[in-house]
Amino acid sequence: MNKEQKLITNEVVKEKLATIYRDEGRRIYATLIRLLGDFELAEEALHDAFSAALSKWQSQGIPEKPANWLVSTGRFQAIDQLRRQHRHREIVAQLANESSTKVEISDEFALSNSVDDELISDDQLRLIFTCCHPAIDIKVQIALTLREVCGLTTEEIASAFLTSVSTMAGSTYRAWQAENSRR
């Protein structure tokens, strides 16, 4: 990066991040879900990556491939979080003198079904298949797909289904939790 690229104002970075979030946010999210194997962790990683970009890009410049930078940053921050949680559990177990099996956390997170990884290379397509898992009610499949793939809010989806926001939020949350437990 040259000096001109390094002298970026906060407003320029915010504008660029807003554009990336609007245009590529769902794709980045889908990729993080594939890499991390967890909806909630992927969502946290996405927001952490955008937050890190806001602070770093102003001083270091906007990278050539900002979406790739956001995926990498989100993934590494999620791995760090998982390691901290793992270490915390180890310390608590030691303090309580429990002899329990420790969970090993690897640096690579993959979906449990390797056949799907080979057959489905597109992360957004994989996310659609995940949202439309046969174990999930068809109405909730549609709502999850609209929320996770298309980025609609729970309020917008509830309005389209002519149901209350709390009912829709509860249905999608339960399906989301069930999908995370299947992984």
Side-chain angles (χ1 to χ4, degrees), residues 46-100:
L46 176 73
H47 294 294
D48 288 346
F50 273 89
S51 178
L54 186 59
S55 62
K56 291 193 185 236
W57 289 5
Q58 188 173 359
S59 62
Q60 298 175 358
I62 298 172
E64 286 182 35
K65 296 182 178 180
N68 292 352
W69 187 95
L70 289 164
V71 168
S72 293
T73 300
R75 179 177 176 266
F76 290 131
Q77 288 187 354
I79 289 169
D80 289 344
Q81 178 184 348
L82 288 172
R83 285 183 178 148
R84 282 190 301 273
Q85 289 173 353
H86 176 68
R87 183 67 183 137
H88 181 275
R89 284 191 303 269
E90 283 181 337
I91 291 170
V92 168
Q94 285 174 350
L95 292 174
N97 274 338
E98 293 180 2
S99 59
S100 63

Coordinates of all heavy atoms in Angstrom, one line a residue, residues 46-100:
L46 N -18.5 -12.3 12.0 CA -18.8 -11.3 11.0 C -18.8 -9.9 11.6 O -18.1 -9.0 11.1 CB -20.2 -11.5 10.4 CG -20.7 -10.5 9.3 CD1 -19.9 -10.7 8.1 CD2 -22.1 -10.7 9.1
H47 N -19.5 -9.7 12.7 CA -19.5 -8.4 13.3 C -18.1 -8.0 13.9 O -17.7 -6.8 13.8 CB -20.6 -8.3 14.4 CG -22.0 -8.4 13.8 ND1 -22.5 -7.5 12.9 CD2 -22.9 -9.4 13.8 CE1 -23.7 -7.9 12.5 NE2 -24.0 -9.0 13.1
D48 N -17.4 -8.9 14.5 CA -16.1 -8.6 15.0 C -15.1 -8.2 13.8 O -14.3 -7.3 14.0 CB -15.5 -9.9 15.7 CG -16.1 -10.1 17.0 OD1 -16.9 -9.2 17.5 OD2 -15.9 -11.2 17.6
A49 N -15.3 -8.9 12.7 CA -14.4 -8.6 11.5 C -14.7 -7.1 11.0 O -13.8 -6.4 10.7 CB -14.6 -9.6 10.4
F50 N -16.0 -6.8 10.9 CA -16.3 -5.4 10.5 C -15.8 -4.4 11.5 O -15.4 -3.3 11.1 CB -17.8 -5.3 10.2 CG -18.2 -5.7 8.8 CD1 -18.5 -7.0 8.6 CD2 -18.3 -4.8 7.8 CE1 -18.9 -7.4 7.3 CE2 -18.6 -5.1 6.5 CZ -18.9 -6.5 6.3
S51 N -15.9 -4.7 12.8 CA -15.4 -3.8 13.8 C -13.9 -3.6 13.7 O -13.4 -2.5 13.8 CB -15.8 -4.3 15.2 OG -15.3 -3.5 16.2
A52 N -13.2 -4.7 13.5 CA -11.7 -4.7 13.3 C -11.4 -3.9 12.1 O -10.4 -3.1 12.1 CB -11.2 -6.1 13.3
A53 N -12.1 -4.0 11.0 CA -11.8 -3.3 9.8 C -12.0 -1.8 10.0 O -11.2 -1.0 9.5 CB -12.8 -3.8 8.7
L54 N -13.0 -1.4 10.7 CA -13.2 0.0 11.0 C -12.0 0.6 11.7 O -11.6 1.8 11.3 CB -14.5 0.2 11.9 CG -14.9 1.6 12.1 CD1 -15.3 2.3 10.8 CD2 -16.2 1.6 13.0
S55 N -11.4 0.0 12.6 CA -10.2 0.5 13.2 C -8.9 0.4 12.5 O -8.1 1.3 12.4 CB -10.1 -0.1 14.6 OG -9.8 -1.4 14.6
K56 N -8.7 -0.8 11.8 CA -7.5 -1.0 11.1 C -7.4 -0.4 9.8 O -6.3 0.0 9.4 CB -7.2 -2.5 11.0 CG -7.0 -3.2 12.4 CD -6.4 -4.5 12.2 CE -6.3 -5.1 13.6 NZ -5.1 -5.6 14.0
W57 N -8.4 -0.4 9.0 CA -8.3 0.1 7.6 C -8.0 1.6 7.6 O -7.4 2.1 6.6 CB -9.6 -0.2 6.9 CG -9.8 -1.6 6.6 CD1 -9.0 -2.7 7.0 CD2 -10.9 -2.2 5.8 NE1 -9.5 -3.8 6.5 CE2 -10.7 -3.6 5.8 CE3 -12.0 -1.7 5.1 CZ2 -11.5 -4.5 5.1 CZ3 -12.8 -2.5 4.5 CH2 -12.6 -3.9 4.5
Q58 N -8.4 2.3 8.6 CA -8.1 3.8 8.6 C -6.6 4.0 8.6 O -6.0 4.9 8.0 CB -8.8 4.5 9.7 CG -8.7 6.0 9.6 CD -9.5 6.7 10.6 OE1 -10.2 6.1 11.4 NE2 -9.4 8.0 10.6
S59 N -5.9 3.2 9.4 CA -4.4 3.4 9.6 C -3.6 2.6 8.6 O -2.6 3.0 8.1 CB -4.0 3.0 11.0 OG -4.3 1.7 11.3
Q60 N -4.1 1.4 8.2 CA -3.4 0.5 7.3 C -3.9 0.5 5.8 O -3.2 0.0 5.0 CB -3.5 -0.9 7.8 CG -2.9 -1.1 9.2 CD -3.1 -2.5 9.7 OE1 -3.7 -3.4 9.1 NE2 -2.6 -2.8 10.9
G61 N -5.0 1.2 5.6 CA -5.5 1.2 4.2 C -6.5 0.1 4.0 O -6.5 -0.9 4.7
I62 N -7.3 0.2 3.0 CA -8.3 -0.8 2.6 C -7.6 -1.8 1.8 O -6.9 -1.5 0.8 CB -9.5 -0.2 1.9 CG1 -10.2 0.8 2.8 CG2 -10.4 -1.2 1.4 CD1 -11.3 1.7 2.1
P63 N -7.7 -3.1 2.1 CA -7.0 -4.1 1.4 C -7.5 -4.3 0.0 O -8.7 -3.9 -0.3 CB -7.2 -5.4 2.2 CG -8.3 -5.1 3.1 CD -8.4 -3.6 3.3
E64 N -6.7 -5.0 -0.9 CA -7.2 -5.2 -2.3 C -8.4 -6.0 -2.3 O -9.3 -5.8 -3.2 CB -6.1 -5.8 -3.1 CG -4.9 -4.9 -3.4 CD -3.9 -5.6 -4.3 OE1 -4.3 -6.5 -5.1 OE2 -2.7 -5.3 -4.1
K65 N -8.5 -7.0 -1.5 CA -9.7 -7.9 -1.5 C -10.3 -7.8 -0.1 O -10.1 -8.6 0.8 CB -9.3 -9.3 -1.8 CG -8.7 -9.5 -3.2 CD -8.4 -10.9 -3.4 CE -7.9 -11.1 -4.9 NZ -7.5 -12.4 -5.2
P66 N -11.1 -6.8 0.1 CA -11.7 -6.5 1.5 C -12.6 -7.7 2.0 O -12.6 -8.0 3.2 CB -12.5 -5.2 1.4 CG -12.6 -4.9 -0.1 CD -11.5 -5.7 -0.8
A67 N -13.3 -8.3 1.1 CA -14.2 -9.4 1.6 C -13.4 -10.6 2.1 O -13.7 -11.2 3.1 CB -15.1 -9.9 0.4
N68 N -12.3 -10.9 1.4 CA -11.4 -12.0 1.9 C -10.8 -11.6 3.2 O -10.6 -12.4 4.1 CB -10.3 -12.2 0.8 CG -10.9 -12.8 -0.4 OD1 -12.0 -13.2 -0.5 ND2 -10.0 -12.9 -1.5
W69 N -10.4 -10.3 3.3 CA -9.8 -9.9 4.6 C -10.8 -10.0 5.7 O -10.5 -10.5 6.8 CB -9.4 -8.4 4.5 CG -8.6 -7.8 5.6 CD1 -7.3 -7.7 5.7 CD2 -9.2 -7.3 6.8 NE1 -6.9 -7.2 6.9 CE2 -8.1 -6.9 7.6 CE3 -10.5 -7.1 7.3 CZ2 -8.3 -6.3 8.9 CZ3 -10.6 -6.5 8.6 CH2 -9.5 -6.1 9.3
L70 N -12.1 -9.7 5.5 CA -13.1 -9.8 6.5 C -13.4 -11.3 6.9 O -13.5 -11.6 8.1 CB -14.4 -9.2 6.0 CG -14.4 -7.6 6.0 CD1 -15.5 -7.1 5.1 CD2 -14.4 -7.0 7.3
V71 N -13.4 -12.2 5.9 CA -13.6 -13.6 6.2 C -12.4 -14.1 7.0 O -12.6 -14.8 8.1 CB -13.7 -14.4 4.9 CG1 -13.6 -15.9 5.2 CG2 -15.0 -14.1 4.2
S72 N -11.2 -13.8 6.6 CA -10.0 -14.3 7.4 C -10.0 -13.7 8.8 O -9.7 -14.4 9.8 CB -8.7 -13.8 6.7 OG -8.6 -14.5 5.5
T73 N -10.2 -12.4 8.9 CA -10.2 -11.8 10.2 C -11.3 -12.4 11.1 O -11.1 -12.7 12.3 CB -10.4 -10.3 10.1 OG1 -9.3 -9.8 9.3 CG2 -10.4 -9.6 11.5
G74 N -12.5 -12.6 10.6 CA -13.6 -13.1 11.3 C -13.3 -14.6 11.8 O -13.5 -14.9 12.9
R75 N -12.7 -15.3 10.9 CA -12.4 -16.7 11.2 C -11.3 -16.8 12.3 O -11.5 -17.5 13.3 CB -11.8 -17.4 9.9 CG -11.4 -18.8 10.2 CD -10.9 -19.5 8.9 NE -10.5 -20.8 9.1 CZ -9.2 -21.1 9.3 NH1 -8.3 -20.2 9.2 NH2 -8.8 -22.3 9.5
F76 N -10.3 -16.0 12.2 CA -9.2 -16.0 13.2 C -9.7 -15.5 14.6 O -9.3 -16.0 15.6 CB -8.0 -15.2 12.7 CG -7.3 -15.8 11.6 CD1 -6.9 -15.1 10.5 CD2 -6.9 -17.2 11.7 CE1 -6.2 -15.7 9.4 CE2 -6.3 -17.8 10.6 CZ -5.9 -17.1 9.5
Q77 N -10.6 -14.5 14.5 CA -11.1 -14.0 15.8 C -12.0 -15.1 16.4 O -12.1 -15.2 17.7 CB -11.9 -12.7 15.6 CG -10.9 -11.5 15.3 CD -11.5 -10.2 15.3 OE1 -12.8 -10.0 15.4 NE2 -10.7 -9.2 15.2
A78 N -12.8 -15.8 15.6 CA -13.6 -16.9 16.2 C -12.8 -18.0 16.8 O -13.1 -18.5 17.8 CB -14.5 -17.4 15.1
I79 N -11.7 -18.3 16.1 CA -10.8 -19.3 16.6 C -10.2 -18.9 17.9 O -10.1 -19.7 18.9 CB -9.7 -19.7 15.5 CG1 -10.3 -20.4 14.3 CG2 -8.5 -20.5 16.2 CD1 -9.3 -20.5 13.2
D80 N -9.8 -17.6 18.0 CA -9.2 -17.1 19.2 C -10.3 -17.2 20.4 O -10.0 -17.6 21.5 CB -8.8 -15.7 19.1 CG -7.5 -15.6 18.2 OD1 -6.8 -16.6 18.0 OD2 -7.2 -14.4 17.8
Q81 N -11.5 -16.9 20.0 CA -12.6 -16.9 21.0 C -12.8 -18.4 21.5 O -12.9 -18.6 22.7 CB -13.9 -16.4 20.4 CG -15.1 -16.4 21.4 CD -16.4 -16.0 20.8 OE1 -16.4 -15.4 19.7 NE2 -17.5 -16.2 21.4
L82 N -12.8 -19.3 20.5 CA -13.0 -20.7 20.9 C -11.8 -21.2 21.8 O -12.0 -21.9 22.7 CB -13.1 -21.6 19.7 CG -14.4 -21.4 18.9 CD1 -14.4 -22.2 17.6 CD2 -15.6 -21.9 19.7
R83 N -10.6 -20.8 21.5 CA -9.5 -21.1 22.3 C -9.6 -20.6 23.7 O -9.3 -21.3 24.7 CB -8.2 -20.7 21.6 CG -7.8 -21.5 20.4 CD -6.5 -21.0 19.9 NE -6.1 -21.9 18.8 CZ -5.4 -21.5 17.7 NH1 -5.0 -20.2 17.6 NH2 -5.1 -22.3 16.8
R84 N -10.0 -19.3 23.8 CA -10.2 -18.7 25.1 C -11.3 -19.5 25.9 O -11.1 -19.8 27.1 CB -10.6 -17.3 25.0 CG -9.4 -16.3 24.7 CD -9.8 -14.9 24.8 NE -10.9 -14.5 24.0 CZ -10.8 -14.1 22.7 NH1 -9.6 -14.0 22.1 NH2 -11.8 -13.8 22.0
Q85 N -12.4 -19.8 25.3 CA -13.4 -20.6 25.9 C -12.9 -21.9 26.4 O -13.2 -22.4 27.5 CB -14.6 -20.7 25.0 CG -15.4 -19.5 24.8 CD -16.5 -19.6 23.7 OE1 -16.6 -20.6 23.1 NE2 -17.3 -18.6 23.6
H86 N -12.2 -22.6 25.5 CA -11.6 -23.9 25.8 C -10.7 -23.8 27.0 O -10.7 -24.6 27.9 CB -10.8 -24.4 24.6 CG -10.1 -25.7 24.8 ND1 -10.8 -26.9 25.0 CD2 -8.8 -26.0 24.9 CE1 -9.9 -27.9 25.2 NE2 -8.7 -27.4 25.2
R87 N -9.8 -22.8 27.0 CA -8.8 -22.6 28.1 C -9.6 -22.3 29.4 O -9.3 -22.8 30.5 CB -7.9 -21.4 27.8 CG -6.8 -21.2 28.9 CD -5.9 -22.4 28.9 NE -4.9 -22.2 30.0 CZ -4.6 -23.1 30.9 NH1 -5.0 -24.4 30.8 NH2 -3.7 -22.8 31.8
H88 N -10.7 -21.5 29.3 CA -11.5 -21.2 30.5 C -12.1 -22.5 31.1 O -12.1 -22.7 32.3 CB -12.6 -20.2 30.1 CG -13.5 -19.8 31.3 ND1 -14.5 -20.6 31.6 CD2 -13.4 -18.8 32.1 CE1 -15.1 -20.0 32.7 NE2 -14.5 -19.0 33.0
R89 N -12.6 -23.3 30.2 CA -13.2 -24.6 30.6 C -12.1 -25.5 31.3 O -12.4 -26.2 32.3 CB -13.9 -25.3 29.5 CG -15.2 -24.8 29.1 CD -15.9 -25.7 28.1 NE -15.2 -26.0 26.9 CZ -15.3 -25.3 25.8 NH1 -16.0 -24.2 25.7 NH2 -14.6 -25.7 24.7
E90 N -10.9 -25.5 30.7 CA -9.8 -26.3 31.3 C -9.5 -25.8 32.7 O -9.3 -26.6 33.6 CB -8.6 -26.2 30.4 CG -8.6 -27.1 29.2 CD -7.3 -26.9 28.4 OE1 -6.6 -25.9 28.6 OE2 -7.0 -27.9 27.7
I91 N -9.4 -24.5 32.9 CA -9.1 -23.9 34.2 C -10.2 -24.3 35.2 O -9.9 -24.6 36.3 CB -8.8 -22.4 34.1 CG1 -7.5 -22.2 33.3 CG2 -8.8 -21.8 35.4 CD1 -7.3 -20.8 32.9
V92 N -11.4 -24.1 34.8 CA -12.5 -24.4 35.7 C -12.5 -25.9 36.1 O -12.7 -26.2 37.3 CB -13.9 -24.0 35.0 CG1 -15.1 -24.6 35.8 CG2 -14.0 -22.5 34.9
A93 N -12.2 -26.7 35.1 CA -12.2 -28.2 35.4 C -11.0 -28.5 36.4 O -11.2 -29.3 37.3 CB -12.0 -29.0 34.2
Q94 N -9.9 -27.8 36.2 CA -8.8 -28.1 37.1 C -9.1 -27.6 38.5 O -8.8 -28.3 39.5 CB -7.5 -27.3 36.6 CG -6.9 -28.0 35.4 CD -5.7 -27.1 34.8 OE1 -5.6 -26.0 35.2 NE2 -5.0 -27.7 33.9
L95 N -9.7 -26.4 38.6 CA -10.1 -25.9 39.9 C -11.1 -26.7 40.6 O -11.0 -26.9 41.8 CB -10.6 -24.4 39.8 CG -9.5 -23.4 39.3 CD1 -10.2 -22.1 39.1 CD2 -8.4 -23.3 40.4
A96 N -11.9 -27.4 39.9 CA -13.0 -28.2 40.5 C -12.5 -29.6 40.6 O -13.3 -30.5 41.1 CB -14.2 -28.1 39.7
N97 N -11.3 -29.9 40.2 CA -10.7 -31.3 40.3 C -11.6 -32.3 39.6 O -11.8 -33.4 40.0 CB -10.5 -31.7 41.7 CG -9.1 -31.3 42.2 OD1 -8.2 -31.0 41.4 ND2 -9.0 -31.2 43.5
E98 N -12.2 -31.9 38.5 CA -13.0 -32.8 37.7 C -12.1 -33.5 36.7 O -11.2 -33.0 36.1 CB -14.1 -32.0 36.9 CG -15.1 -31.3 37.8 CD -16.1 -30.6 37.0 OE1 -16.0 -30.6 35.7 OE2 -16.9 -29.9 37.6
S99 N -12.4 -34.7 36.5 CA -11.7 -35.5 35.5 C -12.6 -35.7 34.3 O -13.3 -36.8 34.2 CB -11.2 -36.8 36.0 OG -12.3 -37.6 36.5
S100 N -12.7 -34.7 33.5 CA -13.6 -34.8 32.4 C -12.8 -34.8 31.1 O -11.7 -34.3 31.0 CB -14.7 -33.7 32.4 OG -14.0 -32.5 32.3

